[in-house]
Amino acid sequence: MGAHPKGDALIKDNRISQRTLGQWIADYPGCLGAKVKDTFHGQLPFLFKVLSVNTALSIQAHPTRELAARLHAQFPEHYPDNNHKPEIAIALTQFEGLCGFRPVEEIIAFLKSAAGKDISGSNGELLLRLHSQYPGDIGCFSIYFLNRIILRPGEAMFLSANEPHAYLSGDCVECMACSDNTVRAGLTPKYIDVNTLCEMLNYKPAPASSKIFPCVQDSSDPCVYLYDPPIPDFTVMRIQVPSSVKQYTVSPLDCASILLVVHGEASATSTAALSDITLRRGSVLFISANESVSLHVTSPSGMTMFRACCLL
């Protein structure tokens, strides 16, 4: 969900001439909001995804803007953008991943157990699971060095530049800067660049608990929980409309946003829409800057939505 050239979102409404979100933004750049339009040169600055992870998704990290520009200039076939790619993953189900280097004491303890050929316990089970997915891949042993994190629904981890990570299992909502730059080193059939990854990584050890990114309830709307990482490109809102609320307004922002429904149903109206829109699980709306959407909630159990935006 976004306007990146490699995956420009298709517009479902066939009553307008634009076929993709990128074309719409190019024709109506004011929809981004003045600050976003000027700061990001008329481009939507984020990508919004839903991932369902069954097989582990690559030991990787994302470059800084400076490194991204250098890699793109040298190897454009492998690094198609000159932009950075910080990202956040918010769990929809129990979600398992690796993130950041473990405290040194933990690494030493795991290596001692491995030297003694002791692969019992949950880490041993994970090692065998990864080996079954990627036989012979040395990246399987990354579990001894990187924090293993299990997120509950609603919990998140933020991945800044140079942060080693991998997604192992579960479903999540993911938001990132508008980029396709990933440096990989294992657990993947894609291009691997071990030397670059080793040179760029943040090697500062930290406990797993420090990698869980907090959300904050919005003081102006108790239904909204903000995930606001320390980068300008994106913020994500989790909107939990309780079953007792049947009329809910998705508030206007001074920036464009993308709304994703993950639970519940509603009839949506706005001044920009040509007619009422039925929203259900999987529905996606692009909301222009300064535009609100009124929801008449029809599902008895309320609604859960995620909204990606850029709050400058």
Side-chain angles (χ1 to χ4, degrees), residues 83-287:
N83 195 17
H84 69 165
K85 193 187 174 187
E87 63 187 32
I88 192 168
I90 306 168
L92 292 173
T93 63
Q94 180 171 291
F95 189 81
E96 184 180 18
L98 303 174
C99 180
F101 281 92
R102 295 177 182 267
V104 175
E105 300 78 19
E106 284 188 24
I107 295 175
I108 292 172
F110 286 139
L111 290 179
K112 284 181 177 178
S113 69
K117 298 183 180 179
D118 176 13
I119 57 169
S120 60
S122 61
N123 283 302
E125 293 170 4
L126 176 57
L127 178 65
L128 295 174
R129 171 154 55 97
L130 294 179
H131 176 68
S132 70
Q133 295 173 5
Y134 297 96
D137 192 324
I138 199 169
C140 296
F141 291 96
S142 60
I143 63 167
Y144 290 108
F145 300 92
L146 302 181
N147 284 301
R148 184 181 180 186
I149 296 176
I150 298 178
L151 301 176
R152 295 171 298 183
E155 291 184 328
M157 57 182 180
F158 172 64
L159 304 160
S160 57
N162 304 328
E163 186 79 88
H165 64 278
Y167 296 156
L168 303 180
S169 65
D171 301 337
C172 76
V173 168
E174 186 184 43
C175 194
M176 65 202 69
C178 188
S179 172
D180 191 32
N181 275 330
T182 302
V183 185
R184 301 178 179 88
L187 305 184
T188 180
K190 297 181 180 179
Y191 176 72
I192 288 176
D193 189 349
V194 174
N195 290 338
T196 298
L197 190 84
C198 289
E199 290 171 3
M200 66 186 275
L201 286 185
N202 169 21
Y203 287 96
K204 184 177 180 180
S209 58
S210 69
K211 299 301 179 181
I212 297 178
F213 190 83
C215 64
V216 178
Q217 191 171 30
D218 189 340
S219 59
S220 63
D221 185 344
C223 295
V224 174
Y225 298 83
L226 291 171
Y227 302 82
D228 192 17
I231 43 97
D233 307 68
F234 61 83
T235 296
V236 179
M237 301 175 177
R238 187 177 89 243
I239 305 174
Q240 301 267 188
V241 182
S243 57
S244 58
V245 174
K246 296 305 178 185
Q247 301 292 330
Y248 180 79
T249 298
V250 180
S251 300
L253 302 172
D254 66 355
C255 60
S257 62
I258 294 177
L259 183 73
L260 165 70
V261 179
V262 298
H263 171 77
E265 296 185 2
S267 177
T269 59
S270 78
T271 55
L274 297 173
S275 61
D276 290 2
I277 303 168
T278 300
L279 299 182
R280 56 177 59 90
R281 185 172 185 255
S283 296
V284 181
L285 286 183
F286 177 78
I287 305 174

Side-chain angles (χ1 to χ4, degrees), residues 33-112:
K35 288 190 287 187
V36 171
K37 179 171 69 71
D38 293 344
T39 301
F40 293 98
H41 312 290
Q43 304 296 315
L44 187 71
F46 57 82
L47 288 172
F48 201 24
K49 297 181 179 180
V50 177
L51 294 182
S52 187
V53 182
N54 185 39
T55 301
L57 298 179
S58 57
I59 304 295
Q60 60 180 257
H62 303 298
T64 62
R65 276 199 180 91
E66 294 74 20
L67 179 58
R70 191 162 76 246
L71 291 173
H72 176 64
Q74 293 175 323
F75 311 106
E77 69 277 20
H78 299 307
Y79 302 104
D81 296 299
N82 60 4
N83 195 17
H84 69 165
K85 193 187 174 187
E87 63 187 32
I88 192 168
I90 306 168
L92 292 173
T93 63
Q94 180 171 291
F95 189 81
E96 184 180 18
L98 303 174
C99 180
F101 281 92
R102 295 177 182 267
V104 175
E105 300 78 19
E106 284 188 24
I107 295 175
I108 292 172
F110 286 139
L111 290 179
K112 284 181 177 178

